[in-house]
Amino acid sequence: MYRTDYHTHTPLCRHAQGTPGEFVNQALQLGLCQYGIADHAPMPPQQEPYDEWRMFSAELPLYAEWINAAKDKAKGTGLQVLSGLECDWLPGIEPWITELRTKCPWDYLIGSVHYLPGNGSVDDSLYADKCLTNSIEEDWLLYWRSIESMVRSGLFDIVGHIDLVKIWGRIPQGDLMRYYEPVLQALQDNNMAVEINTAGWHKHCREQYPAIPLLRELLQRRIPIVIDSDAHRPQHLSRGWDDAVTLLQQLTCNQLKQFKHPTRNGATYLYAYGSL
């Protein structure tokens, strides 16, 4: 099977380590055919500094240099280096994402929801304390409505860590399909891919994103799946890939196929998985 990783970061996000050469060397050692770079996108200049874990808009040229250095390092090796961004979805962000798309010929964009209105970042280690102003049900409803609107915007190619809201173990009681169903329909309507983000195995939730019931639904509906590590250093590149493939095989009774999924700009293809 072709091994790929599209969700990786650079030191420009201020919480990652490694050089372009180190990431490329690791990708070659692991036998990746595609190594995608998708660091945290900047926010509009008038909103900077927004938080402490993303590049500034003025650093986009440096980001392009980082990507080009990785491409130069990979020349002649058979490894394809792809350029992308992980973009935060927030109310009213559409014009800025549209502008970002013109800044570089990106191969793909990952759309992620990190923030809930009034409660800060879901990914923040202090979130479990901050979010007590809302019930678990309220937070989940806000989160999944944001995911649905992001998918329906048509601005992105991949959904990043789709159920990040579970990271600190705050999960509502009962059947969670009441949150998933609108998003599943939006994904089908927009032909958008979803990542298995293996970083979840190393977070408080100790579970990949998405959870198995949601992953099973994605496969049954033939929504494209890609496997990403969310690597913030070279040694984390493609971490958990083999385990993710095994999980996919188990969920499809070993009837698993790999196929090419076109990005929205048509520049490249993403390798994806689905059930036969």
Side-chain angles (χ1 to χ4, degrees):
M1 287 186 172
Y2 293 106
R3 189 171 183 139
T4 60
D5 196 346
Y6 302 112
H7 191 159
T8 72
H9 294 271
T10 80
L12 285 172
C13 72
R14 291 162 174 78
H15 62 290
Q17 302 172 10
T19 66
E22 289 170 338
F23 271 93
V24 169
N25 285 339
Q26 181 73 354
L28 291 171
Q29 183 176 339
L30 293 170
L32 267 67
C33 67
Q34 289 180 322
Y35 156 48
I37 304 163
D39 211 349
H40 293 288
M43 288 298 188
Q46 64 271 22
Q47 296 183 24
E48 295 178 331
Y50 192 84
D51 50 36
E52 299 177 347
W53 42 271
R54 70 183 64 249
M55 72 183 87
F56 287 91
S57 55
E59 293 176 317
L60 278 169
L62 287 176
Y63 183 55
E65 289 179 14
W66 206 100
I67 292 171
N68 288 333
K71 289 183 176 181
D72 289 342
K73 176 72 176 178
K75 279 183 180 176
T77 65
L79 172 66
Q80 184 182 18
V81 176
L82 304 179
S83 62
L85 288 169
E86 181 187 8
C87 304
D88 275 87
W89 183 250
L90 297 163
I93 200 69
E94 295 95 322
W96 175 240
I97 302 298
T98 302
E99 182 177 343
L100 276 177
R101 291 181 69 93
T102 69
K103 301 285 187 182
C104 183
W106 311 110
D107 294 311
Y108 61 95
L109 295 181
I110 296 174
S112 296
V113 173
H114 290 98
Y115 287 92
L116 291 181
N119 274 337
S121 172
V122 173
D123 209 11
D124 191 324
S125 60
L126 299 177
Y127 170 74
D129 296 324
K130 292 179 181 178
C131 68
L132 293 180
T133 55
N134 284 353
S135 69
I136 298 174
E137 290 78 11
E138 287 173 323
D139 278 348
W140 272 60
L141 186 60
L142 286 171
Y143 179 86
W144 288 100
R145 282 179 175 172
S146 293
I147 291 286
E148 182 188 1
S149 64
M150 181 188 74
V151 172
R152 291 203 178 278
S153 74
L155 292 171
F156 306 101
D157 302 286
I158 302 171
V159 181
H161 39 62
I162 191 169
D163 55 350
L164 180 67
V165 69
K166 72 182 181 189
I167 186 172
W168 304 111
R170 299 181 79 244
I171 300 173
Q173 297 294 318
D175 186 358
L176 299 181
M177 279 298 295
R178 64 188 189 273
Y179 302 104
Y180 300 157
E181 182 59 44
V183 172
L184 289 163
Q185 186 60 57
L187 288 165
Q188 289 180 292
D189 293 344
N190 287 270
N191 193 33
M192 192 171 173
V194 176
E195 67 176 10
I196 293 181
N197 187 311
T198 62
W201 286 325
H202 309 280
K203 301 292 186 178
H204 184 83
C205 60
R206 299 298 181 195
E207 181 182 60
Q208 77 290 327
Y209 312 106
I212 286 177
L214 178 52
L215 181 56
R216 184 179 288 113
E217 286 290 332
L218 292 166
L219 288 166
Q220 288 177 352
R221 299 177 192 223
R222 299 188 178 182
I223 294 167
I225 301 292
V226 295
I227 300 172
D228 289 334
S229 67
D230 208 339
H232 285 70
R233 55 194 65 194
Q235 57 267 41
H236 292 169
L237 191 65
S238 196
R239 182 169 57 168
W241 191 88
D242 292 316
D243 291 334
V245 170
T246 298
L247 177 60
L248 286 170
Q249 290 172 334
Q250 291 171 345
L251 292 177
T252 59
C253 300
N254 292 317
Q255 293 183 337
L256 186 68
K257 67 175 180 178
Q258 192 173 36
F259 58 97
K260 290 182 178 180
H261 182 63
T263 62
R264 294 187 183 276
N265 67 8
T268 65
Y269 290 88
L270 301 173
Y271 285 100
Y273 294 89
S275 56
L276 290 173

